[in-house]
Amino acid sequence: MAKKSAGKRPISIAIAAIIRRIPRGKVSTYGAVAEAAGCPRNARHVAKVLNQVHGLPWQRVLGSGGRISLPGEYGLEQRFLLESEGVRFRGRKADLKAHEHHFE
DNA sequence: AGGGTGACGATCA
DNA sequence: ATGATCGCCACCC
């Protein structure tokens, strides 16, 4: 019998797909990615996916308001990478007004 | 089946 | 502004 070919689709897959759509020089937030992926109250899961799925533009996902959530050296790396892409920061926050990506 | 996890978010002091 | 606390929820073992 034909089972559903894909079996169950963990939200993680949708989340990873969403993150892959963020173009260079743009950023998004955990909450926005979660919402675009269909689980609006699960921003925390986005973080987990970023940690487990390799090959994603991880540096383009920020905390609410454009804050860097990743602690320690990785946080510094993230900021460096983003600024290299042209993302401007204001204090500790990225300028979402100018660089937030809007998923269609 | 149940409990722990997590790069969160909103709220409060 | 910053730091602590609480609520949320799919996923993993």
Side-chain angles (χ1 to χ4, degrees), chain A residues 45-65:
Chain A
H45 194 61
V46 175
K48 195 170 293 191
V49 170
L50 279 167
N51 233 334
Q52 299 182 13
V53 181
H54 294 277
L56 299 176
W58 60 270
Q59 72 273 28
R60 298 179 191 150
V61 185
L62 301 168
S64 74

Side-chain angles (χ1 to χ4, degrees), chain A residues 37-87:
Chain A
C39 41
R41 287 159 211 340
N42 215 5
R44 305 186 87 163
H45 194 61
V46 175
K48 195 170 293 191
V49 170
L50 279 167
N51 233 334
Q52 299 182 13
V53 181
H54 294 277
L56 299 176
W58 60 270
Q59 72 273 28
R60 298 179 191 150
V61 185
L62 301 168
S64 74
R67 269 182 42 267
I68 301 266
S69 294
L70 190 55
E73 307 263 336
Y74 289 104
L76 298 176
E77 166 94 358
Q78 180 173 25
R79 176 161 179 161
F80 176 79
L81 289 173
L82 286 176
E83 290 188 317
S84 300
E85 296 186 357
V87 177

Side-chain angles (χ1 to χ4, degrees), chain A residues 8-27:
Chain A
K8 290 204 300 172
R9 252 186 60 176
I11 296 301
S12 320
I13 303 301
I15 291 175
I18 290 294
I19 294 170
R20 268 187 269 267
R21 293 187 189 124
I22 307 173
R24 194 170 180 286
K26 292 287 189 176
V27 296

